[in-house]
Amino acid sequence: FTSFLHVPGTSEEVAPPIQQNFMIPKKEINMVSDMAKWKRSQAYADYMGFILTLNEGVRGKKLTCEYKVSEPIEKLVALLNTLDRWIDETPPVDQPSRFGNKAFRTWYAKLDQEAEKLVATVIPKHLADAAPEVAVYLKESVGNSTRIDYGTGHEAAFAAFLCCLCKIGVLRVDDQMAIVFKVFNRYLEVMRKLQKTYRMEPAGSQGVWGLDDFQFLPFIWGSSQLIDHPNLEPRHFVDEKVVNENHKDFMFLECILFITEMKTGPFAEHSNQLWNISAVPSWSKVNQGLIRMYKAECLEKFPVIQHFKFGSLLPIQPVTS
């Protein structure tokens, strides 16, 4: 899986990057029959490889543990902090409907305008040509400005954004833990703030493609963090006390906390799939099951993947290797 994550200290590091013709990513999945192209594509193989590489990278590790933080990681966090600051500068407007606050469109217009500049702050000068291609995934990762909704397809765009940064060598193998714990975790915080501030709708009918209404990946990586934990078992995550005491260390529990803050009533009713998962005996079984479920319920669902965009870094062409 790490074939496209550049290993530091190898000759690749000094070699000039492969001359690549960057392009603006575009939609390629226009009807259900196109889904076969997606599953055979280099993009799918690289995307899934990236998700699984990170899944291994955070296995058994706490959010609060020590890990290397490189300069590109710091710059990505700064980029996300900018998006966060723009939310503060764009308060929700008074409107009759409760959901989908139109101020989100103002916030999004700013990102749409600034995305390339933001991405250019993260990538080195000699890769400047990649910025327009990579920026598309950033813009796709924050929700839809027409529908004012957010779901797993947007989350996938953010993972694709990070995957592209790995493919051009900005992020490297030893950034794995920081990619999940620092960058992706900060992304989640900003998305939660967007969801709360602008009362965004879950994409799809009632977030049908998410494990909660909005996210999926933090449950995969979060369950990997808990593999072989000496005393926290899957049955414990529905226990409020356990969640309150451990959420700062584990992404999975942070997600559960957010759900319980946003929803009222019995957990088994508002989050049935998660309730069922709490009955699985081990975290490694939970992790394997979630990866299978992610492929089946998100990556193989036309309503989610029809919005995915393909370029030179995540190509629609069939896998070559």
Side-chain angles (χ1 to χ4, degrees):
F1 301 129
T2 47
S3 58
F4 54 89
L5 282 162
H6 296 289
V7 184
T10 60
S11 57
E12 297 173 74
E13 210 176 8
V14 282
I18 305 145
Q19 279 312 302
Q20 181 140 17
N21 294 319
F22 296 107
M23 61 181 275
I24 300 296
K26 57 184 202 296
K27 289 185 188 192
E28 300 277 2
I29 309 299
N30 301 308
M31 40 198 179
V32 176
S33 57
D34 292 335
M35 288 296 284
K37 275 201 302 196
W38 155 243
K39 281 184 260 183
R40 283 196 301 266
S41 70
Q42 190 65 51
Y44 181 87
D46 287 348
Y47 179 86
M48 222 33 241
F50 182 66
I51 299 301
L52 295 173
T53 298
L54 295 175
N55 190 56
E56 283 308 302
V58 300
R59 190 182 172 126
K61 307 273 201 314
K62 290 181 177 182
L63 286 168
T64 49
C65 73
E66 295 271 312
Y67 48 85
K68 175 191 161 234
V69 179
S70 64
E71 197 183 343
I73 294 285
E74 297 279 18
K75 287 175 172 172
L76 281 165
V77 173
L79 181 158
L80 290 164
N81 291 344
T82 301
L83 301 190
D84 190 336
R85 193 182 74 244
W86 290 349
I87 302 174
D88 297 334
E89 292 167 5
T90 318
V93 293
D94 278 336
Q95 61 177 44
S97 63
R98 209 171 126 224
F99 282 95
N101 194 283
K102 291 181 178 61
F104 174 72
R105 292 178 183 152
T106 310
W107 180 90
Y108 184 85
K110 196 163 174 72
L111 173 62
D112 194 35
Q113 209 183 338
E114 303 287 329
E116 275 183 41
K117 276 189 209 142
L118 288 173
V119 170
T121 64
V122 178
I123 59 183
K125 290 277 187 289
H126 71 274
L127 290 167
D129 290 353
E133 176 165 347
V134 177
V136 168
Y137 295 102
L138 179 64
K139 288 192 281 195
E140 295 280 315
S141 74
V142 296
N144 180 285
S145 66
T146 311
R147 294 187 304 272
I148 315 184
D149 68 3
Y150 175 94
T152 47
H154 303 110
E155 176 190 68
F158 192 74
F161 166 67
L162 296 172
C163 182
C164 287
L165 291 173
C166 287
K167 292 197 82 171
I168 60 174
V170 172
L171 297 172
R172 297 169 182 272
V173 164
D174 55 356
D175 288 318
Q176 277 179 71
M177 281 165 70
I179 289 171
V180 179
F181 292 170
K182 244 192 144 46
V183 181
F184 192 80
N185 208 34
R186 184 73 186 105
Y187 164 76
L188 283 178
E189 289 168 2
V190 178
M191 291 310 104
R192 286 172 185 145
K193 188 167 169 176
L194 277 180
Q195 288 149 20
K196 273 185 188 166
T197 307
Y198 304 121
R199 313 241 11 177
M200 297 176 77
E201 300 264 19
S205 48
Q206 288 77 53
V208 62
W209 295 290
L211 206 48
D212 60 7
D213 283 344
F214 298 108
Q215 313 295 155
F216 205 116
L217 291 173
F219 293 99
I220 295 180
W221 295 331
S223 58
S224 182
Q225 282 185 277
L226 285 155
I227 291 173
D228 298 332
H229 192 284
N231 42 15
L232 287 182
E233 292 168 36
R235 64 191 171 92
H236 291 122
F237 77 72
V238 290
D239 178 336
E240 206 181 326
K241 188 170 179 287
V242 171
V243 172
N244 287 333
E245 285 171 7
N246 297 283
H247 71 94
K248 286 192 167 64
D249 285 326
F250 300 105
M251 203 172 245
F252 195 102
L253 302 180
E254 196 73 77
C255 290
I256 301 295
L257 185 68
F258 182 65
I259 293 170
T260 53
E261 280 172 7
M262 298 296 277
K263 298 197 169 184
T264 51
F267 193 90
E269 283 171 32
H270 63 60
S271 304
N272 189 257
Q273 281 188 307
L274 282 164
W275 178 258
N276 294 340
I277 287 169
S278 71
V280 176
S282 73
W283 285 111
S284 67
K285 282 268 187 301
V286 169
N287 186 244
Q288 288 159 10
L290 287 177
I291 290 166
R292 276 198 306 275
M293 189 175 160
Y294 184 59
K295 287 180 184 171
E297 298 304 317
C298 295
L299 301 185
E300 295 179 12
K301 287 284 187 277
F302 175 72
V304 177
I305 295 306
Q306 64 173 331
H307 303 292
F308 198 89
K309 294 188 173 169
F310 301 84
S312 73
L313 295 167
L314 290 170
I316 189 71
Q317 281 72 31
V319 174
T320 45
S321 53

